[in-house]
Amino acid sequence: MTELVEGSAYPGARRSQAYWNREFQRIHSPMLRYGFSVVSVAIALGVSFALQYYHCRDAALPVLTVAIALTTWYAGTGPCVVAVLLSSVSFDYFFTEPLYSFEISDGELPYYFIFVAWAVIVASFSAVRRRIEDSLRQAYDDLRVEVEQRKRREDEIRQLNVELGKRATELEATNKELESFAYSVSHDLRAPLRHMVGYSELLQRQASSLLDEKSQRFIRTILDSAKRMGNLIDDLLAFSRIGRAETRKTKVDLEQLVKEVVAEIRQDAKGREIAWKIGPFPVCHGDRSMLRLVVVNLVSNAVKFTRMRTPAEIEIGCADRNNKEVEVFVRDNGAGFDMQYVNKLFGVFQRLHLPEQFEGTGIGLATVQRIIHRHGGEVRAEGAVDRGATFYFSLPAQNATERTNAP
């Protein structure tokens, strides 16, 4: 039962002590601190006189020592020195022979020195403990501030993650809507376009003898524009399908893939003088059909834009960027482009050359970028006007993928 009472009393006493510690240590006025020193010594003297009156001998030493300890703890070093001096003088004057005199007899001198030494030791220990507690309190305050800041940052990060999740969901829904819209528009445009081409061809066949050269040129222009629009629709449909198609990643032998594409394009470029330079390629990880479309687009562009060069030079190579990625490039000595418009190259329907110079719909490079982004890579381009161009795309290396999938 006593243990329970003591256990319940100690926490209250500790809380009370901690409270008064904080209250006294908030006192920064020198007058109050030194006044506390004088009052503590005066109270200790009063208690010593009372104990002496009741025949408690040698009570002055511990009582004055307690006053010094309290002064050191609550008022600091300066008031502690004052308390030691006042206690030493008072002890000499009131409690050592001869009494009420500052002289000290030979018999009382060791007793007085013991008091002074003990007072200094108590003051020193109290000062050290005060410094340690101040350091611990400062460390605790710093730790509490750091914990609060970390908690606030975690709350902010959690809120940002929630917002990011919402934005990602909204973006995914928007992309699906855009893809559906592009597919629907492209699909719905086919019927009126077929009517336009069909009736224009009928008009050209049946009324060609009744039309003059100017009118026939108008009809040819309509047919050419309709055919170009059909190509645009086909490319737009292919572009939208890439966003909906499932990516089936496997091991892809890039060297074999590039050789197949070059052999196919060589058949279409018969009669042209083209110097091909094809380097070695590693095995990478990706969707083979999509990567084949990337290589076809880039190599076809190189063949197209070197049409005015004799001989045309096309280089296809690969460089290891690091252990996780490989970078493939397609370089040519063709028409090139101005680097200030490099950001427009990979946009849908973006062209840097006139249709009369080079045919195309402006979707090929956008398709390349979309496929490579789905593979976790990047696409970039370098070039100069009439000095050729180089297109780069990065892919995850096969060894990096194997390490990632390893158990």
Side-chain angles (χ1 to χ4, degrees):
M1 187 69 181
T2 306
E3 293 176 356
L4 292 175
V5 173
E6 289 177 352
S8 61
Y10 285 153
R14 289 175 181 173
R15 286 195 294 269
S16 177
Q17 181 184 4
Y19 171 77
W20 288 111
N21 282 346
R22 291 193 300 269
E23 292 299 319
F24 276 107
Q25 286 169 3
R26 290 174 185 170
I27 300 174
H28 300 290
S29 171
M31 183 177 295
L32 293 177
R33 291 168 59 226
Y34 285 96
F36 179 81
S37 173
V38 174
V39 171
S40 297
V41 174
I43 294 174
L45 282 175
V47 174
S48 299
F49 287 144
L51 293 174
Q52 192 176 37
Y53 179 77
Y54 289 104
H55 306 291
C56 293
R57 300 183 60 188
D58 301 329
L61 190 148
V63 173
L64 289 173
T65 303
V66 170
I68 292 171
L70 291 175
T71 302
T72 306
W73 185 258
Y74 290 112
T77 305
C80 166
V81 174
V82 173
V84 171
L85 293 176
L86 289 176
S87 299
S88 300
V89 171
S90 301
F91 188 79
D92 177 24
Y93 189 78
F94 293 108
F95 302 104
T96 58
E97 298 292 341
L99 297 176
Y100 309 114
S101 171
F102 291 108
E103 294 182 7
I104 304 175
S105 64
D106 293 339
E108 294 289 334
L109 192 60
Y111 184 57
Y112 178 74
F113 281 142
I114 290 173
F115 169 78
V116 173
W118 180 248
V120 171
I121 290 171
V122 170
S124 301
F125 275 107
S126 299
V128 169
R129 181 176 176 181
R130 177 186 173 90
R131 285 197 300 271
I132 292 174
E133 186 172 90
D134 289 341
S135 300
L136 291 175
R137 185 180 295 107
Q138 183 63 39
Y140 173 77
D141 293 339
D142 294 341
L143 181 61
R144 184 174 58 184
V145 171
E146 183 178 353
V147 169
E148 291 176 354
Q149 291 178 349
R150 182 174 296 180
K151 184 178 180 181
R152 187 165 54 252
R153 287 195 295 268
E154 289 177 354
D155 292 339
E156 293 175 355
I157 292 173
R158 192 178 297 109
Q159 185 64 29
L160 288 175
N161 286 335
V162 172
E163 293 294 331
L164 185 60
K166 291 181 180 177
R167 296 288 178 87
T169 303
E170 293 173 358
L171 182 61
E172 185 178 359
T174 303
N175 286 336
K176 289 182 178 178
E177 290 176 0
L178 288 174
E179 290 173 0
S180 300
F181 175 76
Y183 181 82
S184 300
V185 169
S186 302
H187 191 271
D188 293 341
L189 285 176
R190 284 185 172 277
L193 185 62
R194 284 195 300 268
H195 293 163
M196 185 188 304
V197 173
Y199 283 108
S200 297
E201 290 177 346
L202 286 175
L203 181 62
Q204 187 181 38
R205 285 199 302 268
Q206 295 180 6
S208 59
S209 59
L210 303 176
L211 299 175
D212 56 11
E213 181 61 28
K214 187 176 182 180
S215 299
Q216 291 182 4
R217 188 172 70 252
F218 289 161
I219 293 178
R220 287 195 298 272
T221 303
I222 293 173
L223 287 173
D224 292 340
S225 298
K227 290 178 181 177
R228 187 169 183 273
M229 186 175 181
N231 293 332
L232 286 172
I233 292 174
D234 292 338
D235 290 345
L236 186 59
L237 282 172
F239 184 74
S240 64
R241 288 193 192 101
I242 291 172
R244 299 193 304 273
E246 181 182 356
T247 304
R248 299 177 180 177
K249 293 185 178 181
T250 58
K251 292 182 181 180
V252 179
D253 187 346
L254 277 179
E255 187 166 351
Q256 180 184 1
L257 180 63
V258 169
K259 288 180 179 179
E260 289 178 4
V261 172
V262 171
E264 180 181 325
I265 292 179
R266 272 178 174 170
Q267 297 295 324
D268 298 331
K270 280 185 177 180
R272 287 189 53 188
E273 186 179 354
I274 300 177
W276 296 90
K277 184 178 180 182
I278 301 174
F281 295 90
V283 175
C284 68
H285 192 73
D287 188 304
R288 193 179 193 281
S289 60
M290 288 187 177
L291 293 180
R292 190 178 192 283
L293 185 58
V294 169
V295 177
V296 167
N297 275 301
L298 293 180
V299 176
S300 298
N301 276 355
V303 172
K304 177 173 63 177
F305 288 104
T306 56
R307 184 182 301 159
M308 309 301 292
R309 298 288 186 267
T310 303
E313 298 177 0
I314 299 175
E315 180 182 1
I316 310 170
C318 181
D320 290 331
R321 297 178 64 179
N322 48 54
N323 292 331
K324 297 182 179 180
E325 287 184 333
V326 294
E327 188 174 61
V328 180
F329 64 87
V330 179
R331 181 177 294 120
D332 63 70
N333 64 337
F337 59 90
D338 193 336
M339 281 296 290
Q340 65 176 326
Y341 304 115
V342 67
N343 293 329
K344 293 184 177 182
L345 282 174
F346 300 99
V348 179
F349 299 136
Q350 295 292 329
R351 294 176 53 86
L352 300 184
H353 302 87
L354 296 175
E356 293 80 9
Q357 294 177 307
F358 301 100
E359 71 280 359
T361 59
I363 298 183
L365 292 179
T367 302
V368 168
Q369 185 183 57
R370 189 169 217 184
I371 292 173
I372 296 303
H373 282 179
R374 290 193 64 175
H375 282 74
E378 296 293 333
V379 181
R380 61 189 179 94
E382 297 175 356
V385 177
D386 291 329
R387 297 180 63 182
T390 305
F391 289 87
Y392 303 86
F393 64 90
S394 60
L395 291 171
Q398 176 60 29
N399 55 358
T401 307
E402 289 175 351
R403 286 195 300 268
T404 303
N405 295 332

